[in-house]
Amino acid sequence: MDMDYAPLEYIDEQGKPCGYDVEFTQELMKRLNIPITYAPNTWENIADDILSGKVDLGMMVYSTYRKNLTNYSRAVFKLYYQIVFREGENHETGIRNVESKHIALMESRPIIDTLSKAGANIHLVKDLKLTMKELSAGKYDAVICFRYQSRFLINTLELKNLVAEDLTLMSREYCYVSNNEKLIEAINVELSKMEKEGIIDDVYGKIKTEFSGLVIPMWVWFLVAGLIIVSLLVFGIMQRLSKKRLQKEVERAVKSEQRAIKSEELKDIFLSNLSHALRTPLNAIIGFSDLMLTTPEGEMPDEERTQLLNLINGNGLQLLHLINELLSLSDIEGNNTLFDRQVTDIDMEMTSYAAEIRQQLPESVKMEVVEPIGGIRALLDAKLLRVVTMHLLENAMQHTTEGKITLTYYVKEDGLYVEVKDTGTGLPDTLKENIFTLLSDKNTYVQDETPGLGLSICKAIIDRSGGEIGARDNVEDGHGTIVWFWSSVKVLN
Protein backbone atom coordinates (compact mmCIF):
# COMPACT_ATOMS: atom_id res chain seq x y z
CA MET A 1 0.00 0.00 0.00
CA ASP A 2 1.01 3.61 -0.65
CA MET A 3 2.15 5.15 2.64
CA ASP A 4 1.03 8.65 1.52
CA TYR A 5 -2.11 8.35 -0.62
CA ALA A 6 -4.70 9.83 1.73
CA PRO A 7 -7.54 9.40 2.25
CA LEU A 8 -7.50 6.04 0.44
CA GLU A 9 -4.39 4.60 2.08
CA TYR A 10 -1.75 6.09 4.36
CA ILE A 11 0.22 5.63 7.58
CA ASP A 12 -1.03 7.63 10.57
CA GLU A 13 1.13 9.26 13.28
CA GLN A 14 1.30 6.00 15.24
CA GLY A 15 2.54 4.10 12.17
CA LYS A 16 -0.76 2.28 11.66
CA PRO A 17 -2.14 1.59 8.13
CA CYS A 18 -5.30 3.65 7.61
CA GLY A 19 -7.69 4.73 4.86
CA TYR A 20 -10.73 3.57 2.92
CA ASP A 21 -8.69 1.02 0.93
CA VAL A 22 -7.43 -0.55 4.17
CA GLU A 23 -10.94 -0.74 5.62
CA PHE A 24 -12.44 -2.20 2.44
CA THR A 25 -9.61 -4.68 1.75
CA GLN A 26 -9.85 -6.04 5.31
CA GLU A 27 -13.55 -6.78 4.74
CA LEU A 28 -12.89 -8.25 1.28
CA MET A 29 -10.10 -10.59 2.49
CA LYS A 30 -12.18 -11.61 5.50
CA ARG A 31 -14.99 -12.71 3.18
CA LEU A 32 -12.49 -14.64 1.04
CA ASN A 33 -10.88 -16.18 4.17
CA ILE A 34 -7.43 -14.96 3.07
CA PRO A 35 -4.97 -13.66 5.72
CA ILE A 36 -3.19 -10.42 4.80
CA THR A 37 -0.34 -8.19 5.94
CA TYR A 38 0.25 -4.65 4.71
CA ALA A 39 3.53 -3.53 3.11
CA PRO A 40 3.62 0.32 3.13
CA ASN A 41 6.05 1.85 0.65
CA THR A 42 6.46 4.72 -1.83
CA TRP A 43 4.51 4.64 -5.08
CA GLU A 44 7.58 4.00 -7.27
CA ASN A 45 8.46 0.87 -5.30
CA ILE A 46 4.83 -0.28 -5.10
CA ALA A 47 4.33 -0.19 -8.86
CA ASP A 48 7.53 -2.19 -9.48
CA ASP A 49 6.79 -4.71 -6.70
CA ILE A 50 3.28 -5.40 -8.01
CA LEU A 51 4.31 -5.75 -11.65
CA SER A 52 7.26 -7.97 -10.72
CA GLY A 53 5.16 -10.15 -8.40
CA LYS A 54 7.11 -9.37 -5.22
CA VAL A 55 3.82 -8.61 -3.49
CA ASP A 56 0.52 -10.42 -4.00
CA LEU A 57 -1.97 -7.57 -4.22
CA GLY A 58 -2.24 -3.82 -4.59
CA MET A 59 -4.62 -1.15 -5.89
CA MET A 60 -4.04 0.92 -9.02
CA VAL A 61 -5.82 3.11 -11.53
CA TYR A 62 -6.49 1.01 -14.63
CA SER A 63 -4.00 1.73 -17.42
CA THR A 64 -4.04 0.42 -20.97
CA TYR A 65 -0.24 0.63 -20.88
CA ARG A 66 -0.06 -1.92 -18.03
CA LYS A 67 -2.97 -4.23 -18.90
CA ASN A 68 -0.68 -6.79 -20.58
CA LEU A 69 1.80 -6.78 -17.68
CA THR A 70 -0.53 -7.78 -14.86
CA ASN A 71 -4.17 -8.62 -14.00
CA TYR A 72 -6.77 -5.98 -13.12
CA SER A 73 -9.98 -6.62 -11.21
CA ARG A 74 -13.27 -5.03 -12.13
CA ALA A 75 -13.52 -1.38 -11.04
CA VAL A 76 -14.10 -0.83 -7.33
CA PHE A 77 -15.22 2.74 -8.07
CA LYS A 78 -14.64 5.60 -10.51
CA LEU A 79 -12.18 8.47 -10.08
CA TYR A 80 -12.91 11.92 -11.51
CA TYR A 81 -10.41 14.70 -12.19
CA GLN A 82 -10.44 18.23 -10.81
CA ILE A 83 -8.30 21.30 -11.39
CA VAL A 84 -7.28 23.24 -8.25
CA PHE A 85 -6.28 26.93 -8.34
CA ARG A 86 -6.02 29.95 -6.09
CA GLU A 87 -9.29 31.70 -5.32
CA GLY A 88 -9.76 35.21 -6.68
CA GLU A 89 -7.26 34.96 -9.52
CA ASN A 90 -8.39 35.55 -13.09
CA HIS A 91 -8.82 32.11 -14.65
CA GLU A 92 -10.80 30.22 -17.24
CA THR A 93 -11.89 26.74 -16.32
CA GLY A 94 -11.37 23.72 -18.53
CA ILE A 95 -8.49 21.65 -19.83
CA ARG A 96 -8.36 23.68 -23.06
CA ASN A 97 -7.41 26.92 -21.32
CA VAL A 98 -4.04 25.95 -19.88
CA GLU A 99 -1.72 27.21 -22.62
CA SER A 100 1.55 28.57 -21.13
CA LYS A 101 0.27 27.95 -17.59
CA HIS A 102 2.33 26.02 -15.03
CA ILE A 103 0.35 22.89 -14.16
CA ALA A 104 1.52 20.40 -11.52
CA LEU A 105 0.34 16.80 -11.35
CA MET A 106 1.42 13.29 -10.39
CA GLU A 107 2.47 11.20 -13.39
CA SER A 108 -0.44 10.14 -15.61
CA ARG A 109 0.29 9.50 -19.26
CA PRO A 110 -3.22 10.40 -20.61
CA ILE A 111 -3.28 13.71 -18.71
CA ILE A 112 0.30 14.53 -19.71
CA ASP A 113 -0.58 13.93 -23.37
CA THR A 114 -3.66 16.14 -23.09
CA LEU A 115 -1.78 18.97 -21.35
CA SER A 116 1.06 18.78 -23.87
CA LYS A 117 -1.34 19.21 -26.77
CA ALA A 118 -2.91 22.19 -24.97
CA GLY A 119 0.50 23.89 -24.60
CA ALA A 120 0.80 23.77 -20.81
CA ASN A 121 4.05 23.86 -18.83
CA ILE A 122 3.96 20.49 -17.06
CA HIS A 123 5.49 19.88 -13.62
CA LEU A 124 5.54 16.22 -12.49
CA VAL A 125 5.49 15.93 -8.70
CA LYS A 126 5.87 13.08 -6.18
CA ASP A 127 4.32 14.59 -3.05
CA LEU A 128 0.79 15.93 -3.64
CA LYS A 129 0.54 17.31 -0.11
CA LEU A 130 3.64 19.46 -0.61
CA THR A 131 2.45 20.44 -4.09
CA MET A 132 -0.85 21.77 -2.74
CA LYS A 133 1.03 23.93 -0.23
CA GLU A 134 3.26 25.22 -3.04
CA LEU A 135 0.20 26.02 -5.17
CA SER A 136 -1.28 27.96 -2.25
CA ALA A 137 2.00 29.92 -1.98
CA GLY A 138 2.01 30.76 -5.70
CA LYS A 139 4.56 28.36 -7.18
CA TYR A 140 2.12 26.91 -9.78
CA ASP A 141 -0.94 28.19 -11.63
CA ALA A 142 -2.95 25.02 -10.96
CA VAL A 143 -2.77 21.40 -9.82
CA ILE A 144 -4.66 18.52 -11.47
CA CYS A 145 -5.60 15.58 -9.24
CA PHE A 146 -8.55 13.35 -8.42
CA ARG A 147 -11.65 14.84 -6.80
CA TYR A 148 -11.28 13.05 -3.46
CA GLN A 149 -7.61 14.14 -3.19
CA SER A 150 -8.36 17.82 -3.74
CA ARG A 151 -11.13 17.93 -1.16
CA PHE A 152 -9.19 15.97 1.47
CA LEU A 153 -5.97 18.00 1.14
CA ILE A 154 -7.66 21.41 0.98
CA ASN A 155 -9.60 20.61 4.14
CA THR A 156 -6.89 18.87 6.18
CA LEU A 157 -4.16 21.36 5.26
CA GLU A 158 -6.61 24.29 5.73
CA LEU A 159 -5.62 25.86 2.40
CA LYS A 160 -8.49 28.32 2.38
CA ASN A 161 -7.27 30.21 -0.68
CA LEU A 162 -7.63 27.15 -2.94
CA VAL A 163 -10.75 26.12 -4.86
CA ALA A 164 -11.42 23.19 -7.18
CA GLU A 165 -13.59 22.62 -10.24
CA ASP A 166 -14.44 19.43 -12.14
CA LEU A 167 -12.76 18.72 -15.48
CA THR A 168 -14.55 17.18 -18.46
CA LEU A 169 -12.06 14.33 -18.70
CA MET A 170 -12.92 10.66 -18.88
CA SER A 171 -13.12 9.06 -15.45
CA ARG A 172 -10.54 6.45 -14.39
CA GLU A 173 -11.25 3.02 -12.91
CA TYR A 174 -9.71 2.16 -9.52
CA CYS A 175 -9.01 -1.59 -9.33
CA TYR A 176 -7.21 -4.35 -7.48
CA VAL A 177 -4.14 -5.58 -9.37
CA SER A 178 -2.07 -8.76 -9.04
CA ASN A 179 0.08 -11.21 -10.99
CA ASN A 180 -2.10 -13.96 -9.50
CA GLU A 181 -4.92 -14.40 -12.00
CA LYS A 182 -6.94 -16.75 -9.78
CA LEU A 183 -6.82 -14.25 -6.93
CA ILE A 184 -8.22 -11.52 -9.21
CA GLU A 185 -10.95 -13.89 -10.43
CA ALA A 186 -11.98 -14.61 -6.83
CA ILE A 187 -11.94 -10.89 -6.02
CA ASN A 188 -14.18 -10.13 -9.01
CA VAL A 189 -16.79 -12.62 -7.84
CA GLU A 190 -16.78 -11.17 -4.33
CA LEU A 191 -16.85 -7.54 -5.55
CA SER A 192 -20.06 -8.29 -7.47
CA LYS A 193 -21.64 -9.62 -4.27
CA MET A 194 -20.43 -6.66 -2.21
CA GLU A 195 -21.80 -4.22 -4.75
CA LYS A 196 -25.26 -5.83 -4.60
CA GLU A 197 -25.13 -5.77 -0.80
CA GLY A 198 -24.20 -2.07 -0.81
CA ILE A 199 -20.89 -2.60 1.00
CA ILE A 200 -18.84 -0.75 -1.64
CA ASP A 201 -21.06 2.32 -1.32
CA ASP A 202 -20.97 2.08 2.48
CA VAL A 203 -17.16 2.37 2.49
CA TYR A 204 -16.33 4.53 -0.51
CA GLY A 205 -19.56 6.52 -0.67
CA LYS A 206 -18.18 8.94 1.92
CA ILE A 207 -15.70 10.47 -0.54
CA LYS A 208 -17.68 10.51 -3.79
CA THR A 209 -19.15 13.88 -4.69
CA GLU A 210 -20.05 16.21 -1.78
CA PHE A 211 -18.38 19.63 -1.51
CA SER A 212 -18.72 22.34 1.09
CA GLY A 213 -18.85 25.54 -0.89
CA LEU A 214 -19.98 27.21 -4.07
CA VAL A 215 -17.44 28.39 -6.66
CA ILE A 216 -18.83 31.22 -8.79
CA PRO A 217 -16.80 32.03 -11.92
CA MET A 218 -15.99 35.68 -12.53
CA TRP A 219 -17.91 35.69 -15.81
CA VAL A 220 -21.21 35.10 -14.01
CA TRP A 221 -21.40 38.85 -13.33
CA PHE A 222 -21.48 39.47 -17.07
CA LEU A 223 -24.01 36.69 -17.67
CA VAL A 224 -27.14 38.74 -16.96
CA ALA A 225 -26.43 41.55 -19.42
CA GLY A 226 -25.18 39.15 -22.07
CA LEU A 227 -28.21 36.86 -21.85
CA ILE A 228 -30.67 39.72 -22.17
CA ILE A 229 -28.98 40.86 -25.39
CA VAL A 230 -28.65 37.32 -26.73
CA SER A 231 -32.26 36.46 -25.89
CA LEU A 232 -33.56 39.37 -27.97
CA LEU A 233 -31.53 38.17 -30.95
CA VAL A 234 -32.58 34.58 -30.39
CA PHE A 235 -36.25 35.50 -30.17
CA GLY A 236 -35.97 36.94 -33.68
CA ILE A 237 -34.22 33.76 -34.88
CA MET A 238 -36.91 31.56 -33.35
CA GLN A 239 -39.62 33.62 -35.04
CA ARG A 240 -37.92 33.10 -38.39
CA LEU A 241 -37.53 29.38 -37.69
CA SER A 242 -41.14 29.03 -36.69
CA LYS A 243 -42.34 30.93 -39.77
CA LYS A 244 -40.18 28.78 -42.05
CA ARG A 245 -41.44 25.51 -40.61
CA LEU A 246 -45.04 26.70 -40.38
CA GLN A 247 -44.97 27.86 -43.99
CA LYS A 248 -44.24 24.29 -45.10
CA GLU A 249 -47.11 23.02 -42.98
CA VAL A 250 -49.48 25.60 -44.48
CA GLU A 251 -48.46 24.67 -48.04
CA ARG A 252 -49.26 21.04 -47.35
CA ALA A 253 -52.48 21.95 -45.57
CA VAL A 254 -53.91 23.55 -48.71
CA LYS A 255 -54.97 20.06 -49.89
CA SER A 256 -57.27 19.62 -46.94
CA GLU A 257 -59.26 21.98 -44.72
CA GLN A 258 -58.75 19.64 -41.81
CA ARG A 259 -54.98 19.75 -42.23
CA ALA A 260 -55.10 23.54 -42.48
CA ILE A 261 -56.92 23.79 -39.15
CA LYS A 262 -54.36 21.47 -37.58
CA SER A 263 -51.55 23.64 -38.90
CA GLU A 264 -53.02 26.73 -37.26
CA GLU A 265 -53.29 24.85 -33.99
CA LEU A 266 -49.64 23.81 -34.24
CA LYS A 267 -48.65 27.40 -34.92
CA ASP A 268 -50.41 28.72 -31.84
CA ILE A 269 -49.01 25.98 -29.61
CA PHE A 270 -45.50 26.35 -31.05
CA LEU A 271 -45.37 30.12 -30.47
CA SER A 272 -47.04 29.79 -27.08
CA ASN A 273 -44.54 27.17 -25.90
CA LEU A 274 -41.53 29.09 -27.19
CA SER A 275 -42.76 32.34 -25.62
CA HIS A 276 -43.24 30.53 -22.31
CA ALA A 277 -39.80 28.95 -22.61
CA LEU A 278 -38.19 32.36 -23.07
CA ARG A 279 -40.21 34.30 -20.52
CA THR A 280 -39.71 31.90 -17.63
CA PRO A 281 -35.88 32.07 -17.39
CA LEU A 282 -35.75 35.71 -18.55
CA ASN A 283 -38.18 36.83 -15.85
CA ALA A 284 -36.06 35.04 -13.25
CA ILE A 285 -32.81 36.53 -14.57
CA ILE A 286 -34.16 40.09 -14.77
CA GLY A 287 -36.01 39.87 -11.46
CA PHE A 288 -33.09 38.51 -9.45
CA SER A 289 -30.58 40.86 -11.07
CA ASP A 290 -32.84 43.88 -10.39
CA LEU A 291 -33.05 42.81 -6.76
CA MET A 292 -29.25 42.64 -6.50
CA LEU A 293 -28.77 45.99 -8.29
CA THR A 294 -31.31 47.84 -6.14
CA THR A 295 -30.14 46.42 -2.80
CA PRO A 296 -27.59 48.78 -1.19
CA GLU A 297 -24.14 47.31 -0.81
CA GLY A 298 -23.67 45.44 2.44
CA GLU A 299 -27.38 44.95 3.15
CA MET A 300 -27.74 41.62 1.36
CA PRO A 301 -26.27 38.63 3.25
CA ASP A 302 -23.56 36.72 1.38
CA GLU A 303 -25.60 33.52 1.54
CA GLU A 304 -28.60 35.20 -0.09
CA ARG A 305 -26.40 36.84 -2.76
CA THR A 306 -24.82 33.47 -3.56
CA GLN A 307 -28.25 31.85 -3.85
CA LEU A 308 -29.45 34.57 -6.25
CA LEU A 309 -26.34 34.22 -8.40
CA ASN A 310 -26.89 30.48 -8.53
CA LEU A 311 -30.49 31.00 -9.68
CA ILE A 312 -29.41 33.51 -12.33
CA ASN A 313 -26.76 31.12 -13.58
CA GLY A 314 -29.17 28.17 -13.68
CA ASN A 315 -31.86 30.06 -15.59
CA GLY A 316 -29.24 31.40 -17.96
CA LEU A 317 -27.98 27.90 -18.72
CA GLN A 318 -31.56 26.72 -19.25
CA LEU A 319 -32.13 29.52 -21.76
CA LEU A 320 -28.89 28.82 -23.59
CA HIS A 321 -29.78 25.11 -23.71
CA LEU A 322 -33.05 25.88 -25.52
CA ILE A 323 -31.24 28.25 -27.90
CA ASN A 324 -28.63 25.64 -28.73
CA GLU A 325 -31.34 23.04 -29.39
CA LEU A 326 -33.15 25.38 -31.79
CA LEU A 327 -29.95 26.14 -33.67
CA SER A 328 -29.02 22.44 -33.73
CA LEU A 329 -32.40 21.47 -35.18
CA SER A 330 -32.12 24.16 -37.85
CA ASP A 331 -28.59 23.04 -38.74
CA ILE A 332 -29.59 19.37 -38.99
CA GLU A 333 -32.56 20.06 -41.26
CA GLY A 334 -30.63 22.42 -43.54
CA ASN A 335 -27.18 20.80 -43.71
CA ASN A 336 -26.56 18.62 -46.75
CA THR A 337 -23.03 17.63 -45.62
CA LEU A 338 -24.03 16.61 -42.14
CA PHE A 339 -22.46 13.17 -41.78
CA ASP A 340 -18.67 13.00 -41.32
CA ARG A 341 -18.09 9.26 -40.89
CA GLN A 342 -14.87 8.20 -39.19
CA VAL A 343 -13.58 5.08 -37.46
CA THR A 344 -15.10 5.23 -33.96
CA ASP A 345 -14.56 3.13 -30.82
CA ILE A 346 -18.19 2.68 -29.75
CA ASP A 347 -17.25 1.20 -26.34
CA MET A 348 -15.09 4.21 -25.44
CA GLU A 349 -17.80 6.63 -26.56
CA MET A 350 -20.56 4.91 -24.57
CA THR A 351 -18.34 4.68 -21.47
CA SER A 352 -17.69 8.42 -21.72
CA TYR A 353 -21.42 9.25 -22.02
CA ALA A 354 -22.27 7.08 -19.00
CA ALA A 355 -19.50 8.71 -16.94
CA GLU A 356 -20.92 12.19 -17.62
CA ILE A 357 -24.43 11.14 -16.64
CA ARG A 358 -23.26 9.37 -13.44
CA GLN A 359 -21.83 12.65 -12.12
CA GLN A 360 -25.28 14.23 -12.31
CA LEU A 361 -27.41 11.39 -10.92
CA PRO A 362 -28.79 11.41 -7.37
CA GLU A 363 -27.62 8.62 -5.07
CA SER A 364 -30.98 6.86 -5.47
CA VAL A 365 -30.41 6.29 -9.21
CA LYS A 366 -27.79 3.90 -10.63
CA MET A 367 -26.31 3.99 -14.13
CA GLU A 368 -25.64 0.66 -15.89
CA VAL A 369 -24.00 -0.03 -19.26
CA VAL A 370 -24.68 -3.34 -21.03
CA GLU A 371 -21.95 -3.67 -23.64
CA PRO A 372 -21.45 -6.43 -26.21
CA ILE A 373 -18.74 -9.06 -25.78
CA GLY A 374 -15.71 -8.16 -27.85
CA GLY A 375 -16.62 -4.50 -28.29
CA ILE A 376 -17.62 -2.55 -31.42
CA ARG A 377 -15.68 -0.36 -33.83
CA ALA A 378 -17.69 1.24 -36.62
CA LEU A 379 -17.58 3.88 -39.35
CA LEU A 380 -19.95 6.68 -38.26
CA ASP A 381 -20.22 10.32 -37.20
CA ALA A 382 -19.17 10.30 -33.52
CA LYS A 383 -20.53 13.83 -32.94
CA LEU A 384 -24.03 12.83 -34.00
CA LEU A 385 -23.84 9.58 -32.02
CA ARG A 386 -23.09 11.68 -28.94
CA VAL A 387 -25.94 14.15 -29.65
CA VAL A 388 -28.59 11.42 -29.93
CA THR A 389 -27.35 9.14 -27.13
CA MET A 390 -26.79 11.97 -24.63
CA HIS A 391 -30.26 13.40 -25.36
CA LEU A 392 -31.83 10.03 -24.55
CA LEU A 393 -29.73 9.66 -21.37
CA GLU A 394 -30.49 13.20 -20.19
CA ASN A 395 -34.20 12.69 -20.87
CA ALA A 396 -34.14 9.49 -18.80
CA MET A 397 -32.25 11.28 -16.01
CA GLN A 398 -34.88 14.06 -15.85
CA HIS A 399 -37.69 11.59 -15.28
CA THR A 400 -36.02 9.07 -12.97
CA THR A 401 -35.78 9.83 -9.26
CA GLU A 402 -35.01 6.30 -8.09
CA GLY A 403 -34.04 2.95 -9.55
CA LYS A 404 -31.67 2.82 -12.49
CA ILE A 405 -30.95 3.88 -16.04
CA THR A 406 -29.58 1.21 -18.41
CA LEU A 407 -27.66 1.98 -21.61
CA THR A 408 -27.54 -1.03 -23.98
CA TYR A 409 -25.95 -1.22 -27.43
CA TYR A 410 -25.11 -3.97 -29.92
CA VAL A 411 -24.90 -4.79 -33.62
CA LYS A 412 -28.29 -5.51 -35.21
CA GLU A 413 -29.10 -6.11 -38.90
CA ASP A 414 -25.93 -4.46 -40.27
CA GLY A 415 -26.36 -1.44 -38.03
CA LEU A 416 -25.97 -0.10 -34.51
CA TYR A 417 -28.85 -0.52 -32.06
CA VAL A 418 -28.85 1.69 -28.93
CA GLU A 419 -31.41 1.53 -26.13
CA VAL A 420 -31.90 3.69 -23.01
CA LYS A 421 -34.16 2.15 -20.37
CA ASP A 422 -35.23 3.93 -17.17
CA THR A 423 -37.45 3.18 -14.18
CA GLY A 424 -38.92 6.67 -14.08
CA THR A 425 -42.40 8.17 -14.44
CA GLY A 426 -43.08 6.62 -17.84
CA LEU A 427 -44.81 7.93 -20.96
CA PRO A 428 -48.18 9.68 -20.61
CA ASP A 429 -50.82 7.92 -22.75
CA THR A 430 -51.58 11.17 -24.59
CA LEU A 431 -48.00 11.50 -25.82
CA LYS A 432 -47.14 7.98 -26.96
CA GLU A 433 -47.95 8.80 -30.59
CA ASN A 434 -46.15 12.15 -30.86
CA ILE A 435 -43.29 11.86 -28.36
CA PHE A 436 -40.74 12.86 -31.04
CA THR A 437 -42.57 16.08 -32.00
CA LEU A 438 -42.42 17.73 -28.61
CA LEU A 439 -43.54 21.24 -29.56
CA SER A 440 -46.71 19.97 -31.20
CA ASP A 441 -48.56 19.38 -27.93
CA LYS A 442 -49.23 21.52 -24.90
CA ASN A 443 -48.60 18.54 -22.62
CA THR A 444 -44.95 18.41 -23.55
CA TYR A 445 -43.02 15.39 -22.15
CA VAL A 446 -40.33 17.37 -20.33
CA GLN A 447 -39.61 18.45 -16.80
CA ASP A 448 -41.37 21.44 -15.18
CA GLU A 449 -43.54 21.99 -18.26
CA THR A 450 -40.56 23.53 -20.07
CA PRO A 451 -40.62 22.56 -23.76
CA GLY A 452 -37.52 21.01 -25.24
CA LEU A 453 -36.41 19.93 -28.68
CA GLY A 454 -34.16 17.04 -27.64
CA LEU A 455 -36.19 14.16 -29.07
CA SER A 456 -37.13 16.19 -32.16
CA ILE A 457 -33.40 16.69 -32.82
CA CYS A 458 -32.79 12.96 -32.33
CA LYS A 459 -35.52 12.07 -34.82
CA ALA A 460 -34.17 14.55 -37.37
CA ILE A 461 -30.69 13.01 -37.14
CA ILE A 462 -31.92 9.40 -37.29
CA ASP A 463 -34.29 10.17 -40.20
CA ARG A 464 -31.44 11.79 -42.16
CA SER A 465 -29.27 8.72 -41.54
CA GLY A 466 -31.97 6.36 -42.83
CA GLY A 467 -32.54 4.81 -39.41
CA GLU A 468 -35.44 4.32 -37.02
CA ILE A 469 -36.25 5.68 -33.56
CA GLY A 470 -39.02 4.76 -31.15
CA ALA A 471 -40.24 4.61 -27.56
CA ARG A 472 -42.25 2.13 -25.50
CA ASP A 473 -43.23 1.39 -21.93
CA ASN A 474 -40.70 -0.41 -19.71
CA VAL A 475 -42.84 -3.47 -19.02
CA GLU A 476 -39.81 -5.48 -17.80
CA ASP A 477 -39.50 -3.33 -14.64
CA GLY A 478 -43.19 -2.50 -14.35
CA HIS A 479 -42.68 1.26 -14.86
CA GLY A 480 -40.52 3.63 -16.81
CA THR A 481 -39.67 4.14 -20.46
CA ILE A 482 -37.48 2.57 -23.15
CA VAL A 483 -36.29 4.85 -25.96
CA TRP A 484 -34.26 3.25 -28.76
CA PHE A 485 -32.75 3.99 -32.14
CA TRP A 486 -31.18 1.97 -34.95
CA SER A 487 -28.90 3.37 -37.63
CA SER A 488 -27.29 1.67 -40.58
CA VAL A 489 -23.51 1.92 -40.08
CA LYS A 490 -20.49 0.00 -41.33
CA VAL A 491 -19.34 -2.21 -38.44
CA LEU A 492 -15.59 -2.93 -38.60
CA ASN A 493 -15.43 -5.76 -36.05
Side-chain angles (χ1 to χ4, degrees), residues 79-103:
L79 299 173
Y80 300 93
Y81 285 103
Q82 284 196 326
I83 184 168
V84 186
F85 47 84
R86 288 180 295 279
E87 186 175 18
E89 294 193 0
N90 184 26
H91 69 279
E92 296 180 357
T93 60
I95 200 69
R96 298 178 182 176
N97 302 307
V98 296
E99 184 176 1
S100 301
K101 294 188 179 295
H102 293 271
I103 310 297

Side-chain angles (χ1 to χ4, degrees), residues 165-318:
E165 291 186 358
D166 286 339
L167 289 174
T168 54
L169 294 172
M170 183 176 293
S171 62
R172 303 295 299 278
E173 295 184 335
Y174 193 54
C175 313
Y176 283 99
V177 60
S178 173
N179 277 358
N180 188 329
E181 186 176 357
K182 290 185 177 180
L183 175 60
I184 292 298
E185 290 175 355
I187 287 175
N188 281 335
V189 172
E190 203 62 33
L191 285 177
S192 297
K193 297 178 182 178
M194 296 174 78
E195 181 179 37
K196 292 180 180 179
E197 296 171 19
I199 297 175
I200 295 180
D201 284 339
D202 288 343
V203 177
Y204 288 105
K206 309 166 190 175
I207 60 171
K208 280 190 176 178
T209 56
E210 294 79 8
F211 287 89
S212 59
L214 179 64
V215 178
I216 303 176
M218 291 297 295
W219 47 263
V220 75
W221 296 100
F222 302 101
L223 183 63
V224 177
L227 282 175
I228 292 174
I229 296 172
V230 170
S231 63
L232 294 175
L233 296 174
V234 170
F235 189 76
I237 294 173
M238 287 191 294
Q239 283 187 319
R240 293 180 61 184
L241 287 172
S242 64
K243 289 180 180 178
K244 183 178 179 180
R245 299 186 67 187
L246 290 170
Q247 184 177 3
K248 294 180 180 179
E249 294 293 334
V250 171
E251 291 174 353
R252 296 170 184 169
V254 171
K255 300 177 182 179
S256 168
E257 181 179 357
Q258 183 179 2
R259 294 180 63 186
I261 295 173
K262 180 61 178 178
S263 179
E264 288 301 317
E265 292 177 354
L266 288 174
K267 176 181 177 181
D268 293 340
I269 296 171
F270 183 81
L271 293 176
S272 175
N273 280 339
L274 286 180
S275 299
H276 175 72
L278 277 175
R279 282 197 301 266
T280 300
L282 278 176
N283 286 340
I285 292 169
I286 295 171
F288 294 141
S289 60
D290 282 344
L291 178 60
M292 295 180 66
L293 291 172
T294 56
T295 301
E297 185 175 357
E299 292 189 7
M300 181 179 292
D302 291 342
E303 182 179 353
E304 184 177 346
R305 177 178 292 273
T306 298
Q307 185 178 13
L308 291 179
L309 285 172
N310 198 29
L311 291 170
I312 291 171
N313 188 33
N315 280 277
L317 293 175
Q318 177 184 332

Side-chain angles (χ1 to χ4, degrees), residues 60-67 72-73 172-175:
M60 281 186 182
V61 175
Y62 178 82
S63 169
T64 56
Y65 306 105
R66 292 194 293 256
K67 66 179 182 179
Y72 283 95
S73 74
R172 303 295 299 278
E173 295 184 335
Y174 193 54
C175 313

